[in-house]
């Protein structure tokens, strides 16, 4: 299996072929397009880059001469899209190093990120972070759904481009090491070591999480209920003592440029958000599936601000919140589809906006 050489766009010539050949080639590509996009998004972490990588893969596939049949379209296309992403990731990482505040992946919502068929991009079994045949239980396994979660994607940002590509291809999509080697231009033994290093780092740095989707949803619902009801006691009870709250505003909107750490500080930070929210008319908030797990979306109907919150839950408490409010990272979403009701954020009828949360008995 060989990868076609990159050609400048101006030098690309339409590939001569019959209508039947073109239709067959298009059908082969469309059969793999969902999987290709899923791979690209997990490697890049952005919708725009994933779209561009899949489009470039199509152009290279379309330009292949008919007299060079491809034995495995799936394998060939996987190698091409992975190589494109691997090359893009180097320059993307350089840009992210100068980003204002925490950089987070672009979120996906069910119904708005339809390019990514969560859990349906291929028959891939969960992979143990302990390695093939390792002793890892459910807490140590990476599934297709989890591999698109905001928390894990954030951890993957700390890997080198080669480590990330090798991990995604082998550990998530079960691509054999020889094919991974083609994608990153290394030997099979080298990419085996890359995947191993990535696996160890993910295992060490991935946040604690629940594997029970119902528990995750109940915990996020409890958070929303506490916030909307202005109930500080309930809010503190659902936050982990060592919770981390990250906000990605990208310098475009007001947001904390450093993570907020600890239950008390996060509660005060949320109180500030709620206080500002009550000063806006028409602010709407609702539950939504964010990157495969229950999260929240909010929209200011006058168009001033919108955001998506992703949660990590462990043992019935929230351990991490990733809030994406940079408008540049939300342009691909139709947030209105997830906000059928006006749910104004309130401080509660008996609360005093000027009082601080000095004790658990105080209201917001």
């Amino acid at each position: 299996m060989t990868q076609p050489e990159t050609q400048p766009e101006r030098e690309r010539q339409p590939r001569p072929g019959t209508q039947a050949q073109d239709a067959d080639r298009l059908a082969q590509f469309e059969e793999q397009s969902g999987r290709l996009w899923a791979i690209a998004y997990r490697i890049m972490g952005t919708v725009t880059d994933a779209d561009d990588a899949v489009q470039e893969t199509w152009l290279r596939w379309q330009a292949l001469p008919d007299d060079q049949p491809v034995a495995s379209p799936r394998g060939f296309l996987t190698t091409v899209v992975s190589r494109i992403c691997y090359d893009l990731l180097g320059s993307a990482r350089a840009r992210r190093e100068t980003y204002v505040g925490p950089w987070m992946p672009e979120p996906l919502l069910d119904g708005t990120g339809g390019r990514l068929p969560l859990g349906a991009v291929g028959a891939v079994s969960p992979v143990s972070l302990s390695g093939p045949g390792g002793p890892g239980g459910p807490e140590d396994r990476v599934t297709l759904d989890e591999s698109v979660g905001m928390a894990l994607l954030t951890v993957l940002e700390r890997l080198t481009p080669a480590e990330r590509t090798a991990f995604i291809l082998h550990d998530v999509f079960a691509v054999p090491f020889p094919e991974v080697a083609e994608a990153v231009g290394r030997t099979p033994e080298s990419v085996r070591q890359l995947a191993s290093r990535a696996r160890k780092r993910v295992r060490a740095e991935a946040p604690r999480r629940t594997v029970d989707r119902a528990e995750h949803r109940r915990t996020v619902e409890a958070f929303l209920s506490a916030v909307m009801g202005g109930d500080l006691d309930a809010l503190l009870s659902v936050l982990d003592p060592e919770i981390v709250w990250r906000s990605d505003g990208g310098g475009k909107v007001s947001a904390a440029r450093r993570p907020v750490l600890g239950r008390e500080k996060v509660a005060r930070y949320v109180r500030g958000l709620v206080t500002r929210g009550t000063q806006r008319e028409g602010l709407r908030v609702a539950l939504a599936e964010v990157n495969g797990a229950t999260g929240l979306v909010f929209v200011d109907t006058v168009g001033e601000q919108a955001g998506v919150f992703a949660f990590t839950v462990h043992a019935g408490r929230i351990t991490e919140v990733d809030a994406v409010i940079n408008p540049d990272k939300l342009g691909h979403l139709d947030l209105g589809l997830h906000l059928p009701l006006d749910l104004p954020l309130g401080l509660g009828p008996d609360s005093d906006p000027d009082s601080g949360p000095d004790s658990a008995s105080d209201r917001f």
Side-chain angles (χ1 to χ4, degrees):
M1 184 172 64
T2 59
Q3 181 182 339
E5 296 181 357
T6 303
Q7 294 178 323
E9 195 68 37
R10 64 180 180 275
E11 295 180 6
R12 287 200 178 114
Q13 299 297 327
R15 177 187 54 82
T18 66
Q19 186 174 1
Q21 290 171 327
D22 290 342
D24 182 58
R25 183 154 290 185
L26 175 61
Q28 289 176 325
F29 184 85
E30 289 182 339
E31 183 180 357
Q32 302 297 327
S33 61
R35 182 174 186 271
L36 299 177
W37 199 91
I39 291 171
Y41 176 76
R42 285 163 171 83
I43 295 176
M44 298 303 303
T46 63
V47 171
T48 302
D49 287 334
D51 286 345
D52 290 346
V54 172
Q55 176 64 21
E56 176 64 20
T57 301
W58 160 247
L59 293 175
R60 298 188 189 187
W61 175 250
Q62 189 182 38
L64 285 177
D66 291 321
D67 58 359
Q68 295 182 12
V70 177
S72 172
R74 178 187 177 96
F76 179 88
L77 291 168
T78 296
T79 298
V80 172
V81 76
S82 301
R83 181 67 196 193
I84 291 170
C85 290
Y86 173 62
D87 291 339
L88 288 173
L89 195 54
S91 58
R93 280 172 61 90
R95 293 193 302 272
R96 294 170 191 179
E97 289 176 356
T98 60
Y99 193 79
V100 178
W103 188 96
M104 280 184 276
E106 293 180 0
L108 299 175
L109 304 180
D110 281 5
T112 58
R115 308 173 189 81
L116 183 61
L118 296 176
V121 293
V124 182
S125 301
V127 178
S128 171
L129 291 180
S130 301
E139 291 282 344
D140 294 321
R141 294 187 181 278
V142 175
T143 65
L144 282 171
D145 278 4
E146 189 205 349
S147 69
V148 81
M150 294 288 283
L152 184 56
L153 287 174
T154 300
V155 173
L156 295 181
E157 283 296 310
R158 304 166 196 164
L159 305 179
T160 68
E163 289 172 341
R164 181 170 183 164
T165 304
F167 178 80
I168 292 298
L169 290 179
H170 181 265
D171 282 38
V172 179
F173 288 90
V175 176
F177 282 124
E179 294 183 28
V180 179
E182 282 196 67
V184 299
R186 310 285 183 92
T187 66
E189 181 57 33
S190 176
V191 295
R192 185 186 300 274
Q193 294 175 3
L194 287 171
S196 177
R197 288 201 301 268
R199 191 180 305 119
K200 290 176 181 177
R201 187 160 188 182
V202 169
R203 183 170 63 242
E205 300 182 17
R208 297 168 297 166
R209 62 182 177 83
T210 180
V211 295
D212 186 335
R213 293 175 64 86
E215 178 187 342
H216 180 105
R217 183 178 180 88
R218 285 193 301 269
T219 305
V220 175
E221 289 175 339
F223 171 86
L224 180 59
S225 177
V227 169
M228 294 182 66
D231 190 336
L232 181 61
D233 284 343
L235 177 61
L236 290 172
S237 70
V238 81
L239 300 180
D240 186 85
E242 299 180 358
I243 183 174
V244 178
W245 181 297
R246 290 180 290 264
S247 301
D248 181 346
K252 304 296 180 66
V253 297
S254 177
R257 296 191 178 186
R258 295 180 180 178
V260 182
L261 307 176
R263 177 164 53 193
E264 297 292 336
K265 290 184 179 180
V266 167
R268 289 196 295 269
Y269 183 72
V270 171
R271 177 184 179 273
L273 295 178
V274 171
T275 301
R276 290 193 293 272
T278 60
Q279 299 170 356
R280 299 173 182 266
E281 294 185 2
L283 182 69
R284 296 190 294 169
V285 60
L287 296 169
E289 288 295 299
V290 179
N291 284 61
T294 302
L296 296 174
V297 298
F298 76 88
V299 172
D300 178 350
T301 54
V302 299
E304 292 185 6
Q305 195 168 354
V308 175
F309 293 174
F311 297 82
T312 301
V313 173
H314 176 72
R317 288 181 172 177
I318 297 169
T319 60
E320 294 192 0
V321 180
D322 293 312
V324 181
I325 55 179
N326 182 347
D328 293 346
K329 293 189 175 183
L330 303 174
H332 61 285
L333 301 174
D334 186 352
L335 296 177
L337 292 177
H338 299 270
L339 295 160
L341 300 173
D342 283 323
L343 299 175
L345 290 172
L347 299 179
D350 303 321
S351 60
D352 177 3
D354 296 323
S355 62
D358 296 326
S359 69
S361 63
D362 290 335
R363 304 286 287 180
F364 271 23

